[in-house]
Amino acid sequence: MYPSIETPDGVKALLARAMAARSARASAEDPVLQRLARMFRPSRAHFNTTPSPGQDLYRHLYDSTPQYAATNLAAGLFGSVMNPANKWFALNPRGAAKDDDAAVRYMDGATQAVAESLGPDVSGFYAEAPSFLTDLSVFGAGTFYSEFQPEKKRWLDKSIALYGVWIEQDADGMVRTFYCCRQMTADQILQEYDGDQDYQIPEFIRRANDPTAKYPVWWVSVPNAMVDKTVATRASREYHSIHVMERRDENGKPIVLRKRSDDSLAWMAARWERRQDTAYGDGRGHVALADAMSLQVARKSLLEAASWAARPPILAPEEKYFRNAEMQPAGIVYGGMNRAGRPMAQALETGQRMPFANEMSQQLGETVREAFYFSILQLVGRSGMSATEVAEKSQEKWRLMGPAIGNLQYEFLAPFLQRRWSQMRRYDLLPRGMPESVRQMGMPAVDFVSPMAMAQRSADGVAAQRFVEAALALAEFDPEAADMIDIDATIAEFRETMGARPNLMRAPAEVQERRELRRQQQQQQQAVEAAPALAAGMKDMAAAGAANDDSSLAGLGISAG
């Protein structure tokens, strides 16, 4: 159970719980996370230090291969999973609404509206997503925050650095508790919280004279254990959040800056690979950490060896020989040899094995790159590869990254899109004319139709195509084989696996109406085509009847005239 945010004692207890989470990770996770940050994400290397201006976070690096490999993987994921140039998701009706044609068409328009809410004119989602994906691949976990700002008519979508966020998972293994500590200046606190009417900014913040002084502000979001959907109060919401300063007022009470409640969680966290013992996951950085650290040592040694080879120490018998010598290219060194022509000094040969050191650095760099799937992501621009080889490489990429992408979709993308839907519905930003079946269905189903998702599902489409081709080939020998193919189901399968929009297919009722009309037109056409033959037949029958009548009368001795 979480302490209540409605009482000062509850806020104190919640703040103490947040600090306990920070302390627990500091001893268990932060040492490894700090090493990962130093190798792969130097700008995030604050897991056991406080960020400060002018801090040199790159002084220990001698090779940038680890950062390049991590950035390349994040870019590959971004382009394949959530590329803004392509449609990468679809919101679909669920439950009874799936059988409602109006609901299907409405959700197609709602999908477009949600996609537009991610655009750069109203959201920073596509600018923040690469940073989130890099954190995810390096640290094994990434955190993201999403909130609509009605006063600005914009979406606050932001990747939050993991070093300032602490998470807890529930019994189901889902992360639903977040503790975020922000180091804020007095001006930043006034800018963000001064507009709230329910809580007062403390006077020491308003009177602060040092613009660089920072104050820890905790931002805590927890699930509500007591949910009552029948009452529209804070107690009925599923999630509570509170913004409280770490410093207390003169009476020892917590300084609360904001409280909020919501039906969906504004925070999201995803793990690259889940671990049973902790809420934090393992990423590709964990796999490549040892090689990345060895690479820095090897590269440093190589650079030192190159420096010794380029500018070796000079051996001289006495200091006087080179005290005033001009040691520079094309310079004249007087006294550098004796009258017999022998050098008075010589370079120290250290015997550095640079080729071996260079080969080791290259091998370590290649190992680090492959830990981040570098070669299978670099398909563009390759020459000499057939279409089959490219397809096989693509399938290998999806196979290797499939589990991580599954976690990404399950823990981040689907909850993010469902929250976006929920907030757009709350602020009346969805298309008008929502069918009643959509109102009653709750959260929509999320389908992913990105190039990566479609590549993973393309096997079903290929199988369907091969089945139809085989059935038609058999139909050449036995026409009845074609009767086995359900054309409607086949077309629906092709649309699903190709990711085409639902509005490209007519509603079943409209299809039935068109088929009935076509059947009537065919019957009318057949009647028109058969009319001349029918008229000729009737004429012949009439002539034959007249001839028979004449013969009968003649037999009776009666003249036809």
Coordinates of all heavy atoms in Angstrom, one line a residue, residues 29-97:
E29 N 22.5 -0.9 -8.4 CA 22.5 -0.7 -9.8 C 23.4 0.4 -10.3 O 24.0 0.3 -11.4 CB 21.0 -0.4 -10.3 CG 20.0 -1.5 -9.9 CD 20.1 -2.7 -10.8 OE1 20.8 -2.7 -11.8 OE2 19.6 -3.8 -10.4
D30 N 23.5 1.5 -9.6 CA 24.1 2.7 -10.1 C 25.6 2.5 -10.5 O 26.1 3.1 -11.5 CB 24.0 3.8 -9.1 CG 22.7 4.5 -9.1 OD1 21.8 4.0 -9.9 OD2 22.4 5.4 -8.3
P31 N 26.4 1.7 -9.8 CA 27.8 1.5 -10.2 C 27.9 0.9 -11.6 O 28.7 1.4 -12.4 CB 28.3 0.5 -9.2 CG 27.5 0.7 -7.9 CD 26.2 1.0 -8.4
V32 N 27.1 0.0 -12.0 CA 27.1 -0.6 -13.3 C 26.5 0.4 -14.3 O 27.1 0.6 -15.4 CB 26.3 -1.9 -13.4 CG1 26.2 -2.4 -14.8 CG2 27.0 -3.0 -12.5
L33 N 25.4 1.1 -13.9 CA 24.8 2.1 -14.8 C 25.8 3.2 -15.1 O 25.8 3.8 -16.2 CB 23.5 2.6 -14.2 CG 22.4 1.6 -14.1 CD1 21.2 2.2 -13.4 CD2 21.9 1.1 -15.5
Q34 N 26.6 3.6 -14.1 CA 27.6 4.7 -14.3 C 28.6 4.3 -15.3 O 29.1 5.0 -16.2 CB 28.2 5.1 -13.0 CG 29.2 6.2 -13.0 CD 28.7 7.5 -13.4 OE1 27.5 7.7 -13.6 NE2 29.5 8.5 -13.6
R35 N 29.1 3.0 -15.2 CA 30.1 2.5 -16.1 C 29.5 2.5 -17.5 O 30.2 2.8 -18.5 CB 30.6 1.2 -15.7 CG 31.6 1.2 -14.5 CD 32.4 -0.1 -14.4 NE 31.5 -1.2 -14.0 CZ 31.3 -1.6 -12.7 NH1 31.8 -0.8 -11.7 NH2 30.5 -2.6 -12.5
L36 N 28.3 2.0 -17.6 CA 27.6 2.0 -19.0 C 27.6 3.4 -19.5 O 27.8 3.6 -20.7 CB 26.2 1.4 -18.8 CG 26.2 -0.1 -18.6 CD1 24.7 -0.5 -18.2 CD2 26.7 -0.9 -19.8
A37 N 27.2 4.4 -18.7 CA 27.0 5.7 -19.2 C 28.4 6.3 -19.6 O 28.5 7.0 -20.6 CB 26.4 6.6 -18.1
R38 N 29.4 6.0 -18.9 CA 30.8 6.5 -19.3 C 31.2 6.0 -20.6 O 31.9 6.7 -21.4 CB 31.8 6.2 -18.2 CG 31.6 6.9 -16.9 CD 32.6 6.6 -15.9 NE 34.0 6.7 -16.4 CZ 35.1 6.9 -15.7 NH1 35.0 7.0 -14.4 NH2 36.2 6.9 -16.3
M39 N 30.9 4.7 -20.9 CA 31.3 4.1 -22.2 C 30.4 4.5 -23.3 O 30.9 4.8 -24.4 CB 31.3 2.6 -22.0 CG 32.4 2.1 -21.1 SD 34.1 2.3 -21.7 CE 34.6 3.6 -20.6
F40 N 29.1 4.5 -23.1 CA 28.1 4.6 -24.2 C 27.3 5.9 -24.2 O 26.9 6.3 -25.3 CB 27.2 3.4 -24.2 CG 27.8 2.1 -24.3 CD1 28.1 1.3 -23.2 CD2 28.2 1.6 -25.5 CE1 28.7 0.1 -23.2 CE2 28.8 0.3 -25.6 CZ 29.0 -0.4 -24.5
R41 N 27.1 6.5 -23.1 CA 26.2 7.7 -23.0 C 26.9 8.7 -22.0 O 26.4 8.9 -20.9 CB 24.8 7.4 -22.5 CG 24.0 6.5 -23.5 CD 23.4 7.4 -24.6 NE 22.1 7.9 -24.1 CZ 21.5 9.0 -24.7 NH1 22.1 9.6 -25.7 NH2 20.4 9.4 -24.2
P42 N 28.0 9.3 -22.4 CA 28.7 10.2 -21.4 C 27.8 11.3 -20.9 O 28.0 11.7 -19.7 CB 29.9 10.7 -22.2 CG 30.1 9.7 -23.3 CD 28.8 9.2 -23.6
S43 N 26.9 11.8 -21.7 CA 26.0 12.9 -21.2 C 25.1 12.5 -20.1 O 24.5 13.3 -19.4 CB 25.2 13.5 -22.4 OG 24.4 12.5 -23.0
R44 N 24.9 11.1 -19.9 CA 24.1 10.6 -18.9 C 24.9 10.1 -17.7 O 24.3 9.5 -16.8 CB 23.2 9.5 -19.4 CG 22.4 9.8 -20.6 CD 21.2 10.6 -20.3 NE 20.0 10.3 -21.1 CZ 19.1 11.2 -21.5 NH1 19.2 12.4 -21.1 NH2 18.1 10.8 -22.2
A45 N 26.2 10.4 -17.6 CA 27.0 9.8 -16.6 C 26.9 10.6 -15.3 O 27.8 11.2 -14.8 CB 28.5 9.8 -17.1
H46 N 25.7 10.5 -14.7 CA 25.4 11.2 -13.4 C 24.7 10.3 -12.4 O 24.0 10.7 -11.6 CB 24.6 12.4 -13.6 CG 25.2 13.4 -14.6 ND1 26.3 14.1 -14.3 CD2 24.8 13.8 -15.8 CE1 26.6 14.9 -15.3 NE2 25.7 14.7 -16.3
F47 N 25.0 9.0 -12.5 CA 24.3 8.0 -11.6 C 24.8 8.1 -10.2 O 24.1 7.8 -9.3 CB 24.4 6.6 -12.2 CG 23.5 6.4 -13.3 CD1 23.9 6.5 -14.6 CD2 22.2 6.0 -13.2 CE1 23.1 6.3 -15.7 CE2 21.3 5.8 -14.2 CZ 21.8 5.9 -15.5
N48 N 26.1 8.5 -10.1 CA 26.6 8.7 -8.7 C 27.3 10.0 -8.5 O 28.1 10.2 -7.6 CB 27.6 7.5 -8.4 CG 28.7 7.4 -9.4 OD1 28.9 8.3 -10.3 ND2 29.4 6.2 -9.4
T49 N 27.0 11.0 -9.4 CA 27.5 12.3 -9.3 C 26.3 13.3 -9.6 O 25.3 12.9 -10.2 CB 28.6 12.6 -10.3 OG1 28.1 12.4 -11.7 CG2 29.8 11.6 -10.1
T50 N 26.5 14.5 -9.2 CA 25.5 15.6 -9.5 C 26.0 16.4 -10.7 O 27.1 16.8 -10.8 CB 25.4 16.5 -8.3 OG1 25.0 15.8 -7.1 CG2 24.4 17.6 -8.5
P51 N 25.1 16.5 -11.7 CA 25.5 17.3 -12.9 C 25.9 18.7 -12.5 O 25.3 19.4 -11.6 CB 24.2 17.3 -13.7 CG 23.4 16.2 -13.2 CD 23.7 16.0 -11.8
S52 N 27.0 19.2 -13.1 CA 27.5 20.5 -12.8 C 28.0 21.1 -14.1 O 28.5 20.4 -15.0 CB 28.6 20.5 -11.8 OG 29.7 19.7 -12.3
P53 N 27.9 22.4 -14.3 CA 28.3 23.1 -15.5 C 29.8 22.9 -15.7 O 30.6 23.0 -14.8 CB 27.9 24.6 -15.3 CG 26.9 24.5 -14.2 CD 27.2 23.4 -13.4
G54 N 30.2 22.8 -17.0 CA 31.6 22.6 -17.3 C 32.2 21.3 -17.0 O 33.4 21.1 -17.1
Q55 N 31.4 20.3 -16.6 CA 32.0 19.0 -16.3 C 32.4 18.3 -17.5 O 31.6 18.2 -18.5 CB 30.9 18.2 -15.5 CG 31.4 16.9 -14.8 CD 30.3 16.3 -14.0 OE1 29.1 16.7 -14.0 NE2 30.6 15.2 -13.3
D56 N 33.6 17.8 -17.5 CA 34.2 17.1 -18.7 C 33.8 15.6 -18.6 O 34.5 14.9 -17.8 CB 35.7 17.3 -18.8 CG 36.3 16.7 -20.0 OD1 35.5 16.2 -20.9 OD2 37.5 16.7 -20.2
L57 N 32.9 15.2 -19.4 CA 32.4 13.8 -19.3 C 33.1 12.9 -20.3 O 32.8 11.7 -20.4 CB 30.9 13.8 -19.5 CG 30.1 14.6 -18.4 CD1 28.6 14.6 -18.8 CD2 30.2 14.0 -17.1
Y58 N 33.9 13.5 -21.1 CA 34.6 12.7 -22.2 C 36.1 12.5 -22.0 O 36.7 12.0 -22.9 CB 34.3 13.4 -23.6 CG 32.8 13.4 -24.0 CD1 32.0 14.4 -23.5 CD2 32.3 12.5 -24.8 CE1 30.6 14.4 -23.8 CE2 31.0 12.5 -25.2 CZ 30.1 13.5 -24.7 OH 28.8 13.5 -25.0
R59 N 36.6 13.0 -20.9 CA 38.1 13.0 -20.8 C 38.7 11.6 -20.7 O 39.9 11.4 -21.0 CB 38.4 13.7 -19.5 CG 38.0 13.0 -18.2 CD 38.3 13.9 -17.0 NE 37.9 13.2 -15.7 CZ 36.6 13.3 -15.3 NH1 35.7 14.0 -15.9 NH2 36.3 12.7 -14.1
H60 N 37.9 10.6 -20.4 CA 38.4 9.2 -20.3 C 38.2 8.4 -21.5 O 38.6 7.2 -21.6 CB 37.7 8.5 -19.1 CG 36.2 8.5 -19.3 ND1 35.4 9.5 -19.0 CD2 35.4 7.5 -19.9 CE1 34.1 9.2 -19.3 NE2 34.1 8.0 -19.8
L61 N 37.7 9.0 -22.6 CA 37.4 8.3 -23.8 C 38.5 8.5 -24.9 O 39.0 9.6 -25.1 CB 36.1 8.8 -24.4 CG 34.8 8.5 -23.6 CD1 33.6 9.0 -24.2 CD2 34.6 7.0 -23.3
Y62 N 38.9 7.4 -25.5 CA 39.9 7.4 -26.6 C 39.4 6.8 -27.9 O 40.1 6.8 -28.9 CB 41.1 6.6 -26.1 CG 41.7 7.2 -24.9 CD1 41.4 6.8 -23.6 CD2 42.7 8.2 -25.0 CE1 41.9 7.3 -22.4 CE2 43.2 8.8 -23.8 CZ 42.9 8.3 -22.6 OH 43.4 8.9 -21.4
D63 N 38.1 6.3 -27.8 CA 37.5 5.7 -29.0 C 36.0 5.9 -28.9 O 35.4 5.6 -27.9 CB 37.9 4.2 -29.1 CG 37.6 3.6 -30.5 OD1 36.4 3.6 -30.9 OD2 38.5 3.1 -31.2
S64 N 35.4 6.4 -30.0 CA 34.0 6.7 -30.0 C 33.1 5.6 -30.5 O 31.9 5.8 -30.7 CB 33.7 8.0 -30.7 OG 34.2 7.9 -32.1
T65 N 33.7 4.4 -30.8 CA 32.9 3.3 -31.4 C 31.7 2.9 -30.5 O 30.6 2.7 -31.0 CB 33.8 2.1 -31.6 OG1 34.9 2.4 -32.5 CG2 33.0 0.9 -32.1
P66 N 31.9 2.8 -29.2 CA 30.7 2.5 -28.4 C 29.5 3.4 -28.5 O 28.4 3.0 -28.6 CB 31.2 2.4 -26.9 CG 32.7 2.1 -27.1 CD 33.1 2.9 -28.3
Q67 N 29.8 4.7 -28.5 CA 28.7 5.7 -28.7 C 28.1 5.6 -30.1 O 26.9 5.7 -30.2 CB 29.2 7.1 -28.4 CG 29.7 7.4 -27.0 CD 31.3 7.3 -27.0 OE1 31.9 8.2 -27.5 NE2 31.8 6.3 -26.3
Y68 N 29.0 5.4 -31.1 CA 28.5 5.3 -32.4 C 27.6 4.1 -32.6 O 26.5 4.1 -33.2 CB 29.6 5.3 -33.4 CG 29.2 5.1 -34.9 CD1 28.3 6.0 -35.5 CD2 29.7 4.1 -35.6 CE1 28.0 5.9 -36.8 CE2 29.3 3.9 -36.9 CZ 28.5 4.8 -37.5 OH 28.1 4.7 -38.8
A69 N 28.0 3.0 -32.0 CA 27.2 1.7 -32.1 C 25.8 1.9 -31.5 O 24.8 1.4 -32.0 CB 28.0 0.6 -31.5
A70 N 25.8 2.5 -30.2 CA 24.6 2.7 -29.5 C 23.6 3.6 -30.3 O 22.4 3.4 -30.4 CB 24.8 3.2 -28.1
T71 N 24.2 4.7 -30.8 CA 23.4 5.6 -31.6 C 22.8 5.0 -32.9 O 21.7 5.3 -33.3 CB 24.2 6.9 -31.9 OG1 24.7 7.5 -30.7 CG2 23.4 7.9 -32.6
N72 N 23.7 4.2 -33.5 CA 23.2 3.5 -34.7 C 22.1 2.6 -34.5 O 21.1 2.5 -35.3 CB 24.4 2.8 -35.3 CG 24.0 2.1 -36.6 OD1 23.9 2.7 -37.7 ND2 23.9 0.8 -36.6
L73 N 22.1 1.8 -33.4 CA 21.0 0.9 -33.0 C 19.7 1.7 -32.8 O 18.6 1.3 -33.2 CB 21.4 0.1 -31.8 CG 20.3 -0.9 -31.3 CD1 19.8 -1.8 -32.4 CD2 20.8 -1.7 -30.1
A74 N 19.9 2.8 -32.0 CA 18.7 3.6 -31.7 C 18.1 4.2 -33.0 O 16.9 4.2 -33.2 CB 19.0 4.8 -30.8
A75 N 18.9 4.6 -33.9 CA 18.5 5.2 -35.2 C 17.8 4.1 -36.0 O 16.8 4.3 -36.7 CB 19.6 5.8 -36.0
G76 N 18.3 2.9 -36.0 CA 17.7 1.8 -36.7 C 16.4 1.4 -36.2 O 15.4 1.2 -36.9
L77 N 16.2 1.4 -34.9 CA 14.9 1.1 -34.2 C 13.9 2.2 -34.6 O 12.8 1.9 -34.9 CB 15.1 1.0 -32.7 CG 15.7 -0.3 -32.2 CD1 15.9 -0.2 -30.7 CD2 14.8 -1.5 -32.5
F78 N 14.4 3.5 -34.5 CA 13.5 4.6 -34.7 C 13.0 4.5 -36.2 O 11.8 4.7 -36.4 CB 14.2 5.9 -34.5 CG 13.4 7.1 -34.8 CD1 12.5 7.6 -33.8 CD2 13.6 7.8 -36.0 CE1 11.8 8.7 -34.1 CE2 12.8 8.9 -36.2 CZ 11.9 9.4 -35.3
G79 N 13.9 4.3 -37.1 CA 13.4 4.3 -38.5 C 12.6 3.1 -38.8 O 11.7 3.1 -39.7
S80 N 12.7 2.0 -38.1 CA 12.0 0.7 -38.4 C 10.7 0.6 -37.6 O 9.7 0.0 -38.1 CB 12.8 -0.5 -38.1 OG 14.0 -0.5 -38.9
V81 N 10.6 1.2 -36.4 CA 9.5 1.0 -35.5 C 8.5 2.2 -35.5 O 7.3 2.0 -35.4 CB 10.0 0.6 -34.1 CG1 8.8 0.5 -33.1 CG2 10.8 -0.6 -34.1
M82 N 9.1 3.4 -35.5 CA 8.2 4.6 -35.3 C 8.6 5.7 -36.3 O 8.6 6.9 -35.9 CB 8.2 5.0 -33.9 CG 9.6 5.3 -33.3 SD 9.7 5.7 -31.6 CE 9.5 4.1 -30.9
N83 N 9.0 5.4 -37.5 CA 9.4 6.4 -38.4 C 8.2 7.3 -38.8 O 7.2 6.8 -39.3 CB 9.9 5.7 -39.7 CG 10.6 6.7 -40.6 OD1 10.4 7.9 -40.6 ND2 11.4 6.1 -41.5
P84 N 8.3 8.6 -38.6 CA 7.2 9.5 -38.9 C 6.9 9.6 -40.4 O 5.8 10.0 -40.8 CB 7.7 10.9 -38.4 CG 9.2 10.8 -38.4 CD 9.5 9.4 -38.1
A85 N 7.8 9.1 -41.3 CA 7.5 9.1 -42.7 C 6.5 8.0 -43.1 O 6.0 8.0 -44.2 CB 8.8 9.0 -43.5
N86 N 6.3 7.0 -42.2 CA 5.4 5.9 -42.5 C 4.3 5.8 -41.5 O 4.5 6.3 -40.3 CB 6.2 4.6 -42.5 CG 7.4 4.6 -43.5 OD1 7.2 5.0 -44.7 ND2 8.5 4.1 -43.1
K87 N 3.2 5.2 -41.8 CA 2.2 4.9 -40.8 C 2.8 3.7 -40.0 O 3.1 2.6 -40.6 CB 0.9 4.5 -41.5 CG -0.2 4.1 -40.5 CD -1.5 3.7 -41.2 CE -2.5 3.3 -40.2 NZ -3.8 2.8 -40.9
W88 N 2.9 3.8 -38.7 CA 3.5 2.7 -37.9 C 2.5 2.2 -36.9 O 2.9 1.3 -36.1 CB 4.8 3.2 -37.3 CG 4.7 4.4 -36.4 CD1 4.8 5.7 -36.8 CD2 4.5 4.5 -35.0 NE1 4.7 6.6 -35.7 CE2 4.5 5.9 -34.6 CE3 4.3 3.5 -34.0 CZ2 4.3 6.2 -33.3 CZ3 4.2 3.9 -32.7 CH2 4.2 5.3 -32.3
F89 N 1.3 2.7 -36.7 CA 0.4 2.1 -35.8 C -1.1 2.3 -36.3 O -1.3 3.2 -37.2 CB 0.5 2.8 -34.4 CG 0.1 4.2 -34.3 CD1 -1.2 4.5 -34.0 CD2 0.9 5.2 -34.6 CE1 -1.7 5.8 -33.9 CE2 0.5 6.6 -34.5 CZ -0.8 6.9 -34.2
A90 N -2.0 1.6 -35.7 CA -3.4 1.7 -36.0 C -4.2 1.4 -34.8 O -3.9 0.4 -34.1 CB -3.8 0.7 -37.2
L91 N -5.1 2.3 -34.5 CA -6.0 2.1 -33.4 C -7.3 1.4 -33.9 O -8.0 2.0 -34.8 CB -6.4 3.4 -32.7 CG -5.1 4.2 -32.1 CD1 -5.6 5.5 -31.5 CD2 -4.4 3.3 -31.1
N92 N -7.7 0.3 -33.4 CA -8.8 -0.5 -33.9 C -9.8 -0.7 -32.8 O -9.5 -0.8 -31.6 CB -8.3 -1.8 -34.5 CG -7.4 -1.6 -35.7 OD1 -7.7 -0.8 -36.5 ND2 -6.4 -2.4 -35.7
P93 N -11.1 -0.9 -33.2 CA -12.1 -1.2 -32.2 C -11.9 -2.6 -31.6 O -11.3 -3.4 -32.2 CB -13.4 -1.1 -33.0 CG -13.0 -1.3 -34.4 CD -11.6 -0.8 -34.5
R94 N -12.4 -2.8 -30.4 CA -12.4 -4.1 -29.7 C -13.7 -4.5 -29.2 O -14.6 -3.6 -29.1 CB -11.3 -4.1 -28.6 CG -11.7 -3.1 -27.5 CD -10.8 -3.4 -26.2 NE -9.5 -2.9 -26.4 CZ -8.4 -3.6 -26.2 NH1 -8.5 -4.9 -25.9 NH2 -7.2 -3.1 -26.3
G95 N -13.9 -5.7 -28.9 CA -15.2 -6.2 -28.4 C -16.3 -6.1 -29.5 O -16.1 -6.4 -30.6
A96 N -17.5 -5.7 -29.0 CA -18.6 -5.6 -29.9 C -18.4 -4.6 -31.0 O -19.0 -4.7 -32.1 CB -19.9 -5.3 -29.1
A97 N -17.6 -3.6 -30.8 CA -17.3 -2.5 -31.8 C -16.6 -3.1 -33.0 O -16.7 -2.4 -34.1 CB -16.6 -1.4 -31.1

